[in-house]
């Protein structure tokens, strides 16, 4: 009688570095899709014959969902494996994209598709950073985190150029089908990403819900300036303050806001970053209407700016050897103000002014990001840094759609602050909006300098061993 010998296959050994390429690809891919849809808003407005402020909802509400979703995925990553979360996100992204494509003639169903799609898009960036910080240390960790900075700028470039050409030469709805390419990443994720978890994750559902109520109410108020929408804004804000003061396990606690440096920098972040995609959103409409460029041609004008931002972003470590954080942030904000002020006065003139403007604009934000993050969390205890950075990024993700919303509202109002200076009424209206955005950026600069002065006077100044003010 023969006996069968059973053999047990050896367990698969996962090498952390093997998963980096596919996670980084999904990081870039998700941001390409989101930024692409933001950029092609003019095509949607024209195709569906809708006002700009209505079409902007597919960018603003999706932006809020991505910001909140990132926090949710970060919390879930403690109790559910990154591999499962990534695969779930890809499936959700695909379902939302198919809904948007199938119902491309109905804006409200397109919006539903975009929101479902965004619930999937929210995973990639956060899970990549968590994976890298969990599996790598020291210089290797810095290297892979540095990839994320470059990847963000690269995604802006690919998203705007790609969506611009697809909207111009194929049709904007076809951009929904690009998301289906993410399905090809699932087998690679299964082979390279491990299933390990750390356990103990928790999501502050109520706190995130209140943030969603506040920010959504604010954006809807900006659609038509209906005072009724201020009710959820006020209620959401009051309940959120109560929530973080009375619950130790809230998304962020009141102790963080007792840290003057962190809370004041969060205000600067909200004001300043509301301008970032507000200008980009305006740019595509402005160039199309005033200079009669199609979206494909408009996207090409943005390439030098994104390349400049990538260069500055990757060189921030070297720049830090020569500039303190205070100097770098001040210079960055001044550059951002100049980048919008000059073209505001020259709308309708040489189009190269806008290419130069976008180069300065991108360089300013790239120079500011690292020093501003460092300044905000400088006095936060090490054990709370993760939560502090998470809320910092959430603030940016809320500020961006709010900026798009008030820019769209201004476009509907068509202000004319520069009559007779910039030529036609249309050019004057766009110049006026750009001038208002310049004012918001200038407010960010003033607030930063005032807050730094307050912090210095209250003796919370932090200096390096060499005595340089590195605030």
């Amino acid at each position: 009688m023969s006996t069968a010998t059973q053999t047990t296959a050896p367990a698969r050994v996962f090498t952390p570095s093997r998963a980096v390429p596919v996670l980084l690809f999904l990081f870039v891919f998700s941001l390409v899709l989101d930024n692409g849809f933001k950029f092609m808003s003019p095509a949607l407005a024209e195709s569906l014959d809708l006002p700009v402020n209505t079409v902007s909802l597919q960018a603003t509400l999706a932006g809020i969902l991505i910001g909140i979703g990132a926090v949710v995925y970060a919390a879930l990553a403690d109790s559910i494996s990154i591999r499962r979360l990534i695969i779930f996100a890809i499936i959700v992204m695909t379902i939302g994209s198919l809904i948007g494509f199938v119902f491309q003639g109905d804006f409200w169903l397109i919006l539903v598709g975009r929101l479902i799609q965004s619930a999937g898009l929210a995973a990639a960036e956060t899970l990549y950073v968590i994976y890298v910080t969990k599996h790598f240390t020291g210089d290797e960790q810095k290297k892979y985190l540095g990839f994320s900075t470059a990847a963000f700028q690269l995604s802006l470039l690919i998203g705007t150029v790609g969506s611009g050409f697809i909207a111009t030469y194929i049709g904007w709805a076809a951009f929904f089908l690009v998301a289906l390419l993410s399905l090809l990443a699932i087998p690679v994720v299964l082979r390279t990403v491990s299933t390990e978890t750390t356990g103990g994750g928790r999501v502050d559902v109520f706190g995130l819900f209140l943030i969603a109520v506040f920010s959504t109410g604010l954006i809807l108020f900006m659609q038509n300036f209906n005072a009724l929408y201020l009710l959820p804004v006020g209620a959401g804000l009051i309940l959120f303050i109560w929530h973080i003061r009375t619950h130790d396990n809230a998304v962020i606690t009141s102790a963080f806001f007792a840290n003057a440096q962190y809370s004041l920098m969060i205000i600067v972040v909200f004001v300043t970053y509301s301008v970032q995609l507000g200008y980009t959103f305006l740019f595509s409409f402005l160039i199309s209407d005033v200079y009669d460029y199609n979206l494909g041609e408009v996207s090409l004008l943005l390439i030098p700016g994104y390349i400049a931002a990538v260069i500055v972003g990757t060189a921030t470590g070297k720049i830090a050897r020569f500039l303190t954080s205070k100097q770098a942030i001040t210079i960055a904000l001044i550059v951002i103000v100049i980048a919008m002020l000059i073209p505001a006065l020259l709308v309708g003139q040489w189009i190269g002014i806008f290419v130069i403007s976008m180069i300065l604009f991108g360089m300013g934000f790239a120079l500011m990001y690292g020093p501003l993050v460092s300044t905000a969390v400088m006095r936060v205890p090490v054990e709370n840094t993760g939560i502090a950075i998470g809320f910092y990024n959430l603030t940016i993700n809320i500020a961006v759609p709010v900026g798009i919303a008030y820019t769209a509202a201004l476009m509907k109002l068509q202000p004319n602050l520069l009559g007779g200076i910039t030529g036609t009424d249309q050019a004057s209206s766009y110049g006026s909006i750009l001038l208002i955005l310049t004012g918001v950026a200038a407010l960010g600069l003033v607030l930063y300098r005032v807050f730094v002065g307050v912090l210095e006077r209250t003796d919370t100044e932090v200096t390096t061993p060499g005595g340089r003010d590195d605030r």
Side-chain angles (χ1 to χ4, degrees), residues 316 324-326 328-329 366-376 471:
T316 49
T324 65
S325 293
K326 180 178 177 180
I329 295 168
L367 176 61
M368 181 179 66
Y369 179 78
L372 192 53
V373 172
S374 177
T375 301
R471 188 182 302 284

Side-chain angles (χ1 to χ4, degrees), residues 33-202:
L33 289 174
D34 184 54
N35 289 308
F37 275 106
K38 287 184 174 76
F39 181 74
M40 63 167 55
S41 293
L44 270 74
E46 181 180 358
S47 174
L48 301 174
D49 193 24
L50 291 172
V52 174
N53 61 327
T54 299
V55 170
S56 69
L57 289 173
Q58 63 88 19
T60 55
L61 297 183
I64 291 173
L65 189 58
I66 287 176
I68 293 174
V71 177
V72 173
Y73 280 112
L76 292 177
D78 285 335
S79 55
I80 302 175
S81 71
I82 288 178
R83 182 165 79 174
R84 289 184 178 180
L85 289 175
I86 284 288
I87 292 173
F88 170 79
I90 291 173
I91 294 172
V92 171
M93 182 197 315
T94 302
I95 292 172
S97 299
L98 288 174
I99 291 174
F101 178 77
V102 171
F103 298 103
Q104 59 186 267
D106 187 323
F107 175 73
W108 299 109
L109 289 176
I110 291 172
L111 182 60
V112 170
R114 275 283 288 141
L115 294 177
I116 295 174
Q117 180 195 64
S118 298
L121 296 178
E125 180 178 1
T126 293
L127 295 181
Y128 173 80
V129 173
I130 291 173
Y131 184 87
V132 168
T133 54
K134 178 179 178 181
H135 290 283
F136 303 99
T137 58
D139 291 341
E140 197 172 21
Q141 183 186 92
K142 292 178 183 177
K143 178 181 72 174
Y144 289 128
L145 289 177
F147 288 169
S148 69
T149 302
F152 177 77
Q153 297 296 337
L154 182 63
S155 70
L156 291 175
L157 172 60
I158 297 174
T160 52
V161 175
S163 65
F165 274 84
I166 288 175
T168 301
Y169 300 108
I170 300 176
W172 64 266
F175 200 61
F176 274 116
L177 299 181
V178 174
L180 302 185
L181 295 174
S182 63
L183 295 172
L184 300 176
I186 291 180
V188 183
V189 171
L190 292 172
R191 287 198 307 269
T192 60
V193 183
S194 66
T195 58
E196 63 183 349
T197 59
T198 57
R202 184 187 176 280

